[in-house]
Amino acid sequence: MRKTYNGLVASDDVTCRFRKGKVTVILGGSGSGKSTLMRQVVGLEKPDSGTVHFGDRELTSLSRAELYEYRKKMGMLFQASALFNSLDVFENIAFPLREHTKLADQVIRTMVKMKLELVGLRGVEGLMPSQLSGGMLKRIGLARAIIMDPEVVFYDEPTSGLDPISAGVIDKLIVDLNEILGVTSVVVSHDIESSFKIADWIMILFFGKKIAEGTPEEIQSSEDPRVQQFIKGSPEGPIPFTRTDKDFYEDILIP
Amino acid sequence: MNALALLAVPGRRVIDGVRVLGRSGIFLSASIFYGFVPPFKLRSLPQQIDFIGTRSISIVVVTGAFTGMVLSLQGYYTLSKFGATGMLGSAVALSIIRELGPVLAALMVTGRAGSAITAEIGIMKITEQINALEMMAVNPLKHIVTPKIFAGLISLPLLTTIFDLVGIGGGYLIGVKLLGVNEGAYFGEMVRSVEFVDIYGGFVKSLVNGLIITWVCSFIGYTAVATTEGVARATTNAVVTTSVLILIMDYILTSFLL
Ligand SMILES: Nc1ncnc2c1ncn2[C@@H]1O[C@H](COP(=O)(O)OP(=O)(O)O)[C@@H](O)[C@H]1O
Ligand SMILES: [Mg+2]
């Protein structure tokens, strides 16, 4: 897949494969094009060139109505949780059910309670999103993402900005959902430690390019200096700190 | 070469302008079209009518009353020069029903609800709520914009009617009760001079204004740059653009309806 924004290459001919029933983590620094890649995979943005396959269908050429049928098999947890401010927790989680099913209120209530129990937040149904902490928002967002029992769940930086305990809770939920319900999971992250904990497969992005992929062990023992620099988080190494190729002295001396 | 470079900037502007026009047109037609495609979002229509319409009533009543009162005051002063103060009722009613009612009610709603529409949609965009709708297989246009446009089409004619009635009442208060114009003349002249086309014209204007407010404010929010400053700028931009469009459309419609 390839995608550019005003000449900036955000996805540089990336090919990726998310295996059924596995947790795949897309790792990369800020601005390395992780979110862009994920938005193309789920069809929120069209790639400039390239295709997306889900089962035996190609998603980029589908009509809106057809794409929506596939979306019902996907859940997504957004970086900012993206809960609706105007609805309380219960209605937020029930939203997809109310839109797509004709289930009775009683059934909806039971299903919402089950998901809340799963994310460990039963009892907050009546609160508004503005009354919740960051970690709770993520968990409610996750409850909403899985209310339709999706086959694939996408997570955009599920643990960034959270305290270590909340982050650990989210990591555990991702693993549990994967192991208990067999949900295929795609996680975008820059949190190295948690990625190695939850991943079956890791892909590393660097300025829109895929520079490595493999099992956590393979990545750990990779000889690529860029990969080593990234997983150790050292400022010195082959990954430049600045984005431009221009030499610093040239840049300040020659206007 | 230089001459061409000079043309490049205005050329770019024109192309951008045409593009925005086209996109907003598609935006509007799609939003209206979804209003007729099941499943219907009947839940959010009353909410939007409440937000755009009901909560604008007080401001419309106040502005309507004072507009009627000042028209009466000014009209009495002018008409008394010709000894024609008996015409006061018809002067007040015609100005309000044909012009001031539709335009001022719409400008008040723009300031009150239009800016809020832009901000709400812009914030939904920044916080990825619009993407979340997409991911839940819910069409964001149909879910967010369609109810607003229909609420505007329903609310503005009603608000305009309230403005007209209160304005005529305010005119009555000043003209008849304060300045002593004959009550029979005030209403008699009014009934004789106001024709069906006047009321019809005011109604058409209020419908068009309801469309302009909800359409332009939604579109500008929907296409806002997804940052805090982007939404702030979009909100100001929406109020200014909508107000100017209301006045321009008012002129165009008047020239057609006359
Ligand atoms: N809508 C957009 N318009 C312009 N540039 C964008 C847009 N979205 C992302 N970018 C740019 O693409 C690059 C990758 O962004 P993103 O995918 O959000 O990175 P990440 O999620 O890895 O932090 C960044 O340099 C960003 O500035
Ligand atoms: Mg991102």
Side-chain angles (χ1 to χ4, degrees), chain B residues 161-240:
Chain B
T161 309
I162 293 174
F163 189 104
D164 292 354
L165 293 177
V166 174
I168 289 168
Y172 166 82
L173 215 65
I174 298 301
V176 176
K177 293 292 172 197
L178 192 73
L179 301 173
V181 174
N182 180 284
E183 184 169 341
Y186 185 84
F187 285 113
E189 280 302 319
M190 192 184 295
V191 171
R192 195 162 330 131
S193 62
V194 175
E195 290 173 46
F196 176 71
V197 284
D198 301 320
I199 295 176
Y200 171 75
F203 175 74
V204 171
K205 284 181 178 180
S206 69
L207 265 184
V208 170
N209 289 338
L211 189 72
I212 292 177
I213 295 170
T214 46
W215 168 30
V216 174
C217 293
S218 299
F219 179 73
I220 293 181
Y222 214 87
T223 52
V225 177
T227 59
T228 319
E229 309 89 73
V231 173
R233 218 167 323 117
T235 309
T236 317
N237 185 4
V239 172
V240 174

Side-chain angles (χ1 to χ4, degrees), chain A residues 42 44 64 68 71-72 76 78-80 82-85 95-96 99-100 144, chain B residues 34 41 43 123-124 127-129 131-140 143:
Chain A
V42 300
L44 285 173
R64 201 181 190 110
Y68 277 1
R71 292 263 174 81
K72 291 178 191 167
M76 184 155 177
F78 287 87
Q79 196 167 346
L83 296 176
F84 302 120
N85 316 109
F95 185 85
E99 287 293 323
H100 298 303
R144 184 178 68 179
Chain B
Y34 292 135
K41 307 273 176 198
R43 246 192 312 157
I123 287 169
M124 289 188 82
T127 55
E128 296 194 281
Q129 293 177 50
N131 279 343
L133 283 171
E134 272 282 346
M135 283 308 295
M136 291 187 275
V138 174
N139 187 318
H143 185 79

Side-chain angles (χ1 to χ4, degrees), chain B:
Chain B
M1 181 61 212
N2 263 339
L4 273 182
L6 274 179
L7 279 177
V9 175
R12 182 98 291 243
R13 285 272 165 88
V14 170
I15 291 171
D16 286 347
V18 172
R19 190 171 291 157
V20 167
L21 221 57
R23 272 204 260 149
S24 63
I26 294 170
F27 179 87
L28 176 66
S29 1
S31 304
I32 292 180
F33 170 74
Y34 292 135
F36 297 98
V37 184
F40 301 107
K41 307 273 176 198
L42 290 179
R43 246 192 312 157
S44 36
L45 186 61
Q47 261 173 3
Q48 291 301 325
I49 292 177
D50 175 57
F51 179 70
I52 296 171
T54 318
R55 292 196 217 170
S56 301
I57 290 178
S58 49
I59 194 171
V60 161
V61 165
V62 173
T63 45
F66 277 95
T67 305
M69 283 155 64
V70 80
L71 271 181
S72 201
L73 214 53
Q74 294 280 20
Y76 183 84
Y77 173 77
T78 312
L79 289 173
S80 63
K81 292 193 175 176
F82 310 104
T85 52
M87 302 293 290
L88 187 63
S90 94
V92 168
L94 282 177
S95 343
I96 289 189
I97 292 174
R98 294 177 57 100
E99 282 302 323
L100 297 173
V103 170
L104 289 180
L107 291 178
M108 290 340 264
V109 173
T110 304
R112 223 212 97 256
S115 51
I117 289 176
T118 308
E120 182 196 344
I121 298 181
I123 287 169
M124 289 188 82
K125 189 172 172 185
I126 299 184
T127 55
E128 296 194 281
Q129 293 177 50
I130 291 184
N131 279 343
L133 283 171
E134 272 282 346
M135 283 308 295
M136 291 187 275
V138 174
N139 187 318
L141 273 193
K142 179 172 178 171
H143 185 79
I144 305 170
V145 181
T146 303
K148 292 194 198 304
I149 288 185
F150 281 89
L153 288 174
I154 294 169
S155 301
L156 262 290
L158 293 173
L159 288 173
T160 303
T161 309
I162 293 174
F163 189 104
D164 292 354
L165 293 177
V166 174
I168 289 168
Y172 166 82
L173 215 65
I174 298 301
V176 176
K177 293 292 172 197
L178 192 73
L179 301 173
V181 174
N182 180 284
E183 184 169 341
Y186 185 84
F187 285 113
E189 280 302 319
M190 192 184 295
V191 171
R192 195 162 330 131
S193 62
V194 175
E195 290 173 46
F196 176 71
V197 284
D198 301 320
I199 295 176
Y200 171 75
F203 175 74
V204 171
K205 284 181 178 180
S206 69
L207 265 184
V208 170
N209 289 338
L211 189 72
I212 292 177
I213 295 170
T214 46
W215 168 30
V216 174
C217 293
S218 299
F219 179 73
I220 293 181
Y222 214 87
T223 52
V225 177
T227 59
T228 319
E229 309 89 73
V231 173
R233 218 167 323 117
T235 309
T236 317
N237 185 4
V239 172
V240 174
T241 310
T242 308
S243 307
V244 171
L245 279 179
I246 286 171
L247 292 170
I248 292 176
M249 274 316 284
D250 182 59
Y251 176 79
I252 294 175
L253 285 176
T254 306
S255 64
F256 273 111
L257 291 165
L258 261 180

